Amino acid sequence: MSKQSTPVTYNQEQHLALVGLNGAPVNALSKALRIGIIDSVKKALSDDKVKAIVLYSHLPLFSAGADISEFSGGDLSPMLPEVLDVIEQSTKPVIAIVGGNAFGGGLELALACHYRITHAKNKVGLPEVHLGILPGAGGTQRLPRLTDPKTALDMIVSGAPTPVTTLSGVFDLIVDSADELQAAAMAFATDVVEQQMPVKKVCDIELSMTSDIEALFEQYAQGVAAKTKGYFAPGHCVLAVKAAFTHDFKDGLARESELFMECMKTSQARAQQHFFFAERAASHVQGIAKDVVARDIKQVAVIGAGTMGGGIAMNFANAGIPVVMLELKQDALDKGLALIRRNYENSAKKGKLTTEQVEQRMSLLTGTTSYEDLSNVDLVIEAVFEKMSVKKEVFGMLDKVCKPGAILASNTSTLDLNEIAASVSRPQDVIGLHFFSPANVMKLLEIVRGEKTADDVIKTAMKLAKTIRKVGVLVGVCFGFVGNRMIEPYGREANRLMLEGATPEQVDKVIGKFGLPMGPFTMGDMAGLDIGYFVRESRREFIKHDPSYCIVADKLVAQGRVGLKVGKGAYLYEQGSRQPIPDPEVIEIAKQEAKRLGIQQREISDQEILERCIYPLINEGADILKEGIASKSSDIDVIYVYGYGFPVFRGGPMQYADEIGLAEVRDRLNHYKETLGEYGQHWFTPSSLLNDLADAGKTFGSLK
Ligand code: NAI
């Protein structure tokens, strides 16, 4: 099958028209491809010598689906459903050779063909739900006509790539390996011609609703509502598939289209599509020349085998990169390595790893108490105590022993990276790699660029993030970088609201309903209230003017109520349980403190709680953008979704603000500035960037 540079190639071999998708890199079904497919099918139909049409891909992927850049509009005809209709109504059989992944519209294209052939290692999927929509080109109507309703629902509602071998009924032939596919497909196509096999139209398959299927849909819808709480599209996916059983094909398509449009109009679809692009945009760092070459990372060292060091080391072992871990004392090292082994063994117990994999990963992890053993590593990540003097001591040692060109990274969450860099003779090699806890699980990696960090070090870090399956976001140096700096006003307000009369439960409930996995009080208890306390201790100068600042949390820590690990914090916990139980004693502490500080307690509405927690966080994000600590607002959104569980259906805090309108956010900040007395005057001044954008009727997203 020859390769040409047009988006769709057309060749004829004997009685077969060979139509090749050739839209690099992923055969996104752009207008050019859609026109090319229609033209090719029409050409084949008008040629008497052609008896069947073979649709295949020149690329490793069959097709990644819709061209999402077209979502913003324009003249898009012919639309995909029209293309698929031309294929399905072809009077000559159309055979799809699905040699690689077929996703979204790509799979819908294959489903509209009369025969489908693939190989056993292939995966296909309908991921539209992740963009807040549903398959809108017949996928919800054709898939259940080929396979059973449960399989169709699972695929469409989860959006997950699915092994073709689990999709009974969808493919007419599945060969064992990709190598055999082309020959087998051509033999199959020849059979279709020679045996005059029929034009098998999926749309002709009749489905009807039975009481069993009705019950399945009912149960499925309930499960989806519970599992995908807050998301709009999954429920609509169920309704669309159900329509395949309650409507004939044509009406089913119309219903799918109606449901698709309902999804498309939601703020969730906008948010999820924004996030799709945001994640991809995060890896594009501006200002670094294309020809800058990343350094090779073949051997890594981690200093400190504590909570973070252990998790960080696991990331590299998981990616097949050897790691040497350094601790000052052998017993701390032994403890750290034993904990890593326990983590791996727990994964093996859950069936996520084999025992061979556990041993293979452990074999990549070695320990040492001597800096001399780090002379050959390409990257060192320091994860020792959060104290500048300790960090400087460690970096001083690294400066002495590490080879030239080794990258020296710190996992500090609050300390000044530039100060650390200034303490060594090679500040250009110093960078922050801020992992989130648990470091082997959380997807986010804040990559902190120091004043002197070299471009190739940044490039290496961005590349490395991908190697260890993290989403790397480049940020600048400031207290708490992007994520923790923005979480600070959020936590401050949650605490202040308690003084003003809200309960931890009320606040957590509002935040949970908004879509975060847990509210600030549950999160504080889980992380340990002592952590926040130590951060405050290091910043007393900055907060001393506000005697109410996290005062209840300070009192709780003073009483030893540091959270879940001791069974009490902002809540109580029964032994062995993580379920927070409201504690009247905490409410009483808040009452007493409010009285002492002259704060009048009152009933606080859920709306006020939401605005008071989220808008200052957004306001801090605006300052971060203004200062260039984050280079684009979408980077902040990626940080918040992957580091803090901000709901994807809101797109991240900055997209959420753009959706509400920046003038509204600014006005509500001003409202609290005016109504909360001195406290409001101090903490609720809108960022100048927020003001400017609000005045101009612009969004954060417009600042690209
Ligand atoms: P940790 O207390 O669990 O571990 C620190 C480890 O470093 C201990 O095992 C200690 O023995 C070792 N250590 C201390 N001084 C050392 C030295 N001079 N040489 C070698 N080893 C030394 O602390 P954790 O939580 O792992 O934090 C480590 C770093 O990671 C801190 O900078 C922290 O701010 C940062 N971080 C922590 C997060 C968390 O959620 N715990 C999240 C993100 C960053």
Side-chain angles (χ1 to χ4, degrees):
M1 295 175 188
S2 70
K3 192 163 177 144
Q4 297 154 25
S5 62
T6 45
V8 177
T9 62
Y10 184 95
N11 291 287
Q12 199 190 314
E13 261 181 38
Q14 297 177 0
H15 293 299
L16 300 175
L18 305 177
V19 178
L21 305 179
N22 195 27
V26 293
N27 276 333
L29 295 166
S30 61
K31 182 169 173 152
L33 248 83
R34 297 196 298 272
I35 291 175
I37 295 170
I38 289 193
D39 289 350
S40 301
V41 173
K42 286 188 176 159
K43 188 169 169 183
L45 289 177
S46 64
D47 184 342
D48 287 344
K49 285 195 277 326
V50 170
K51 303 290 180 218
I53 302 163
V54 175
L55 186 67
Y56 68 101
S57 165
H58 289 283
L59 309 173
L61 242 75
F62 179 72
S63 165
D67 184 347
I68 299 175
S69 64
E70 287 183 351
F71 277 21
S72 44
D75 172 16
L76 298 178
S77 62
M79 300 289 277
L80 190 57
E82 193 184 322
V83 180
L84 304 195
D85 190 50
V86 169
I87 293 175
E88 195 163 49
Q89 297 309 326
S90 158
T91 47
K92 298 177 184 177
V94 185
I95 302 142
I97 308 179
V98 186
N101 295 154
F103 294 133
L107 180 58
E108 291 178 300
L109 172 64
L111 295 177
C113 296
H114 306 125
Y115 296 94
R116 281 157 296 280
I117 302 171
T118 190
H119 63 86
K121 301 265 160 8
N122 202 7
K123 285 184 180 174
V124 295
L126 292 167
E128 286 83 349
V129 72
H130 297 310
L131 297 174
I133 52 176
L134 50 85
T140 65
Q141 304 305 298
R142 290 193 180 91
L143 188 61
R145 282 182 157 75
L146 289 168
T147 188
D148 61 286
K150 165 88 170 49
T151 303
L153 279 167
D154 283 349
M155 228 173 126
I156 293 169
V157 170
S158 74
T162 309
V164 292
T165 45
T166 63
L167 295 173
S168 77
V170 175
F171 289 91
D172 299 277
L173 175 65
I174 302 180
V175 297
D176 288 343
S177 76
D179 301 343
E180 301 164 47
L181 188 60
Q182 188 168 331
M186 292 312 282
F188 185 94
T190 307
D191 279 354
V192 168
V193 173
E194 285 176 0
Q195 295 172 25
Q196 295 182 9
M197 283 160 69
V199 168
K200 273 198 329 181
K201 294 185 200 168
V202 177
C203 63
D204 286 346
I205 300 170
E206 281 182 21
L207 296 179
S208 58
M209 186 58 99
T210 64
S211 56
D212 282 358
I213 296 176
E214 179 114 50
L216 169 85
F217 274 104
E218 201 156 301
Q219 200 188 14
Y220 207 94
Q222 279 170 15
V224 164
K227 255 198 281 176
T228 60
K229 224 164 101 199
Y231 285 84
F232 181 81
H236 264 45
C237 289
V238 179
L239 292 178
V241 178
K242 191 174 174 187
F245 293 84
T246 52
H247 297 57
D248 65 20
F249 185 75
K250 189 165 153 274
D251 291 346
L253 277 187
R255 177 77 179 128
E256 177 193 82
S257 176
E258 193 178 271
L259 292 164
F260 176 87
M261 286 318 295
E262 282 174 22
C263 287
M264 201 64 180
K265 279 187 207 139
T266 60
S267 61
Q268 293 202 355
R270 286 191 289 280
Q272 288 178 254
Q273 286 160 31
H274 157 82
F275 191 71
F276 177 87
F277 289 113
E279 190 177 345
R280 277 145 192 83
S283 63
H284 298 139
V285 175
Q286 284 186 346
I288 295 187
K290 274 217 166 81
D291 57 358
V292 169
V293 179
R295 299 183 190 177
D296 258 356
I297 305 295
K298 295 209 174 90
Q299 168 95 31
V300 174
V302 174
I303 317 291
T307 311
M308 293 305 286
I312 293 169
M314 286 172 79
N315 287 309
F316 291 96
N318 297 348
I321 300 173
V323 187
V324 52
M325 302 191 71
L326 184 141
E327 272 277 350
L328 287 180
K329 299 217 174 88
Q330 187 64 40
D331 60 341
L333 187 59
D334 293 343
K335 231 168 94 186
L337 283 165
L339 183 62
I340 295 178
R341 174 172 282 283
R342 234 181 8 255
N343 275 336
Y344 278 139
E345 283 171 351
N346 282 339
S347 298
K349 268 186 213 147
K350 290 182 198 148
K352 291 184 188 158
L353 287 179
T354 62
T355 41
E356 290 79 49
Q357 280 171 320
V358 172
E359 293 314 319
Q360 188 260 339
R361 290 180 194 195
M362 285 309 295
S363 73
L364 291 169
L365 295 161
T366 49
T368 185
T369 52
S370 161
Y371 275 90
E372 300 304 320
D373 291 335
L374 309 189
S375 60
N376 209 25
V377 298
D378 306 299
L379 163 71
V380 188
I381 303 172
E382 162 282 306
V384 302
F385 301 139
E386 186 75 343
K387 212 168 169 197
M388 186 54 92
S389 57
V390 185
K391 304 263 186 205
K392 280 189 180 166
E393 201 181 302
V394 169
F395 272 77
M397 292 300 289
L398 295 175
D399 201 11
K400 275 199 200 115
V401 300
C402 289
K403 66 183 182 190
I407 295 176
L408 311 182
S410 174
N411 181 48
T412 180
S413 34
T414 55
L415 299 175
D416 182 349
L417 187 82
N418 290 328
E419 190 178 336
I420 297 175
S423 73
V424 294
S425 66
R426 33 174 141 175
Q428 74 281 1
D429 295 334
V430 175
I431 194 164
L433 292 179
H434 184 216
F435 288 83
F436 284 66
S437 184
N440 55 317
V441 177
M442 296 295 285
K443 271 194 92 169
L444 178 65
L445 180 62
E446 277 186 334
I447 297 175
V448 188
R449 163 192 228 155
E451 261 165 22
K452 298 204 169 140
T453 309
D455 282 359
D456 65 337
V457 172
I458 294 172
K459 196 154 194 179
T460 310
M462 296 299 293
K463 190 172 160 205
L464 196 66
K466 285 201 175 125
T467 310
I468 59 171
R469 293 162 158 251
K470 303 277 176 207
V471 178
V473 183
L474 188 64
V475 301
V477 178
C478 64
F479 187 87
F481 312 120
V482 171
N484 286 344
R485 176 169 157 184
M486 286 169 67
I487 208 76
E488 186 266 338
Y490 165 85
R492 178 196 73 218
E493 282 312 303
N495 273 275
R496 171 76 190 202
L497 283 161
M498 193 169 27
L499 282 179
E500 291 179 26
T503 64
E505 275 177 281
Q506 192 192 355
V507 174
D508 282 357
K509 217 164 150 188
V510 169
I511 296 299
K513 211 164 144 207
F514 177 73
L516 276 122
M518 62 182 89
F521 291 102
T522 312
M523 187 173 89
D525 274 0
M526 266 180 83
L529 294 182
D530 44 344
I531 291 195
Y533 178 79
F534 289 128
V535 174
R536 288 194 292 283
E537 281 295 277
S538 71
R539 313 198 75 210
R540 286 291 170 207
E541 198 50 35
F542 174 69
I543 54 180
K544 68 177 182 203
H545 65 87
D546 176 6
S548 74
Y549 193 99
C550 292
I551 189 69
V552 178
D554 282 353
K555 296 278 164 197
L556 292 175
V557 173
Q559 290 180 15
R561 299 186 60 137
V562 291
L564 181 61
K565 58 190 167 192
V566 296
K568 51 185 179 176
Y571 295 103
L572 288 173
Y573 300 86
E574 279 171 2
Q575 182 124 32
S577 162
R578 299 164 81 87
Q579 183 62 41
I581 303 166
D583 184 357
E585 242 179 65
V586 176
I587 312 292
E588 190 51 37
I589 296 172
K591 214 180 244 170
Q592 291 307 323
E593 287 303 311
K595 201 165 160 202
R596 185 176 68 80
L597 294 164
I599 296 169
Q600 185 75 38
Q601 290 209 321
R602 61 194 163 94
E603 200 159 298
I604 299 179
S605 73
D606 288 357
Q607 184 61 21
E608 177 170 348
I609 290 174
L610 186 66
E611 291 175 355
R612 297 259 312 262
C613 290
I614 303 291
Y615 290 6
L617 178 149
I618 293 166
N619 199 35
E620 197 67 41
D623 272 345
I624 281 172
L625 275 178
K626 188 183 68 185
E627 293 164 25
I629 300 294
S631 56
K632 43 193 181 304
S633 66
S634 62
D635 281 357
I636 299 179
D637 289 335
V638 173
I639 288 173
Y640 260 78
V641 168
Y642 283 130
Y644 299 84
F646 206 91
V648 180
F649 65 75
R650 302 216 185 262
M654 308 315 270
Q655 164 70 16
Y656 174 63
D658 283 348
E659 186 69 37
I660 304 168
L662 298 190
E664 167 72 8
V665 176
R666 186 261 318 266
D667 292 350
R668 295 306 294 165
L669 286 168
N670 275 331
H671 166 78
Y672 294 116
K673 184 176 178 177
E674 297 312 321
T675 54
L676 293 175
E678 209 182 311
Y679 181 85
Q681 289 293 321
H682 188 82
W683 294 117
F684 279 86
T685 302
S687 159
S688 61
L689 178 68
L690 177 61
N691 258 328
D692 293 347
L693 291 172
D695 286 344
K698 289 190 173 162
T699 59
F700 290 124
S702 70
L703 291 172
K704 276 168 202 150

